[in-house]
């Protein structure tokens, strides 16, 4: 327990606040209270966690592809990914129960805000023919999921070590109760949405 706290203290300097968290506390809370009429700042929705999934279907033929994908996802998120295994066998896809098929990372706290900042400011503008994210990707409970076709839009990926491009799903989990509240929150935090 003490060792984990020491590692956290080394990982982030004391008093460090990510840029996007400072923007949320300074501007977004005030604007959301004006728009939605919240009486208390604690009632304003916030970003709870970010889950990044990378499916690697070809891992059943070559496990090295999954190892490379895990290394790249770790470089992108700054956190070691967890290997995901198949829950049941699917004959058409030649998948057996327990086979490794992907990897996932759940980001919270400082790493979550840093990743969201890099996603909004550097990764999404590098997507080819990007015209904004669709408004239909909310799940009805205030969570938003977006998909990227390749991992090369992130600057942390070393082009020389990429054998194959992999897509990824990024789920932004908020504490908002409705999709409209979550949409306002994410737009105020800088997520580029399409104009309807």
């Amino acid at each position: 327990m003490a060792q984990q706290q020491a590692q956290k203290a080394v990982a982030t300097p004391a008093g460090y606040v990510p840029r996007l968290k400072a923007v949320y506390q300074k501007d977004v809370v005030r604007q959301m209270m004006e728009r939605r009429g919240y009486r208390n700042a604690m009632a304003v929705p916030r970003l709870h966690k970010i889950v990044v999934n990378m499916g690697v279907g070809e891992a059943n033929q070559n496990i090295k592809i999954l190892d490379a994908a895990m290394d790249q996802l770790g470089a992108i998120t700054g956190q070691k990914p967890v290997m995901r295994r198949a829950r049941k066998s699917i004959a058409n896809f030649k998948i057996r129960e327990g086979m490794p098929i992907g990897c996932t990372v759940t980001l919270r706290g400082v790493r979550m805000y840093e990743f969201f900042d890099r996603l909004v400011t550097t990764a999404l503008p590098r997507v080819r023919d990007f015209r904004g994210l669709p408004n239909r990707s909310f799940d009805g409970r205030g969570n938003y999921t977006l998909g990227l076709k390749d991992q090369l839009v992130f600057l942390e990926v070393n082009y020389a070590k990429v054998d194959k491009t992999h897509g990824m799903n990024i789920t932004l989990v908020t504490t908002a109760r409705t999709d409209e509240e979550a949409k306002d929150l994410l737009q105020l935090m800088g997520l580029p949405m399409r104009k309807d």
Side-chain angles (χ1 to χ4, degrees):
M1 184 75 175
Q3 185 180 8
Q4 290 175 345
Q5 290 175 347
Q7 287 175 347
K8 285 183 182 178
V10 171
T12 58
Y16 172 71
V17 178
R19 184 188 73 86
L20 214 58
K21 186 173 184 180
V23 167
Y24 171 78
Q25 292 170 342
K26 185 179 175 186
D27 299 329
V28 175
V29 171
R30 180 182 48 79
Q31 291 177 359
M32 286 289 286
M33 288 177 78
E34 289 171 3
R35 283 188 187 185
R36 295 277 172 183
Y38 298 111
R39 294 183 181 181
N40 188 346
M42 298 303 287
V44 175
R46 66 184 186 284
L47 203 55
H48 178 60
K49 65 182 176 180
I50 296 177
V51 182
V52 185
N53 294 308
M54 188 181 278
V56 186
E58 304 87 25
N60 57 358
Q61 279 97 25
N62 188 359
I63 196 69
K64 289 183 180 178
I65 295 174
L66 181 62
D67 292 338
M70 287 184 70
D71 289 342
Q72 290 164 12
L73 187 59
I76 290 168
T77 59
Q79 186 171 308
K80 185 178 179 186
V82 176
M83 184 187 299
R84 288 302 199 187
R85 297 182 179 274
R87 283 187 245 160
K88 61 181 183 177
S89 300
I90 303 172
N92 290 343
F93 296 113
K94 297 178 181 169
I95 292 175
R96 299 285 168 259
E97 185 178 344
M99 266 188 186
I101 55 170
C103 50
T104 184
V105 170
T106 302
L107 300 168
R108 290 183 172 90
V110 172
R111 284 191 181 132
M112 171 186 71
Y113 282 107
E114 291 291 340
F115 175 79
F116 188 74
D117 198 3
R118 283 184 284 120
L119 175 72
V120 169
T121 56
T122 59
L124 289 178
R126 294 185 63 187
V127 173
R128 188 179 300 141
D129 298 329
F130 183 71
R131 293 189 182 93
L133 296 169
N135 295 317
R136 321 181 288 280
S137 298
F138 288 95
D139 67 349
R141 296 180 185 148
N143 305 320
Y144 186 79
T145 302
L146 63 111
L148 295 175
K149 291 185 178 174
D150 64 353
Q151 74 274 34
L152 298 175
V153 294
F154 289 97
L155 298 174
E156 295 83 11
V157 176
N158 186 354
Y159 278 54
K161 294 184 179 178
V162 174
D163 299 331
K164 188 171 173 56
T165 59
H166 301 288
M168 62 178 70
N169 292 333
I170 301 170
T171 302
L172 308 171
V173 180
T174 68
T175 59
R177 294 179 182 173
T178 63
D179 290 345
E180 289 77 23
E181 288 176 321
K183 183 178 176 185
D184 281 350
L185 171 70
L186 293 174
Q187 282 183 326
L188 287 171
M189 289 182 75
L191 196 70
M193 297 274 196
R194 283 184 201 150
K195 302 284 190 286
D196 284 339

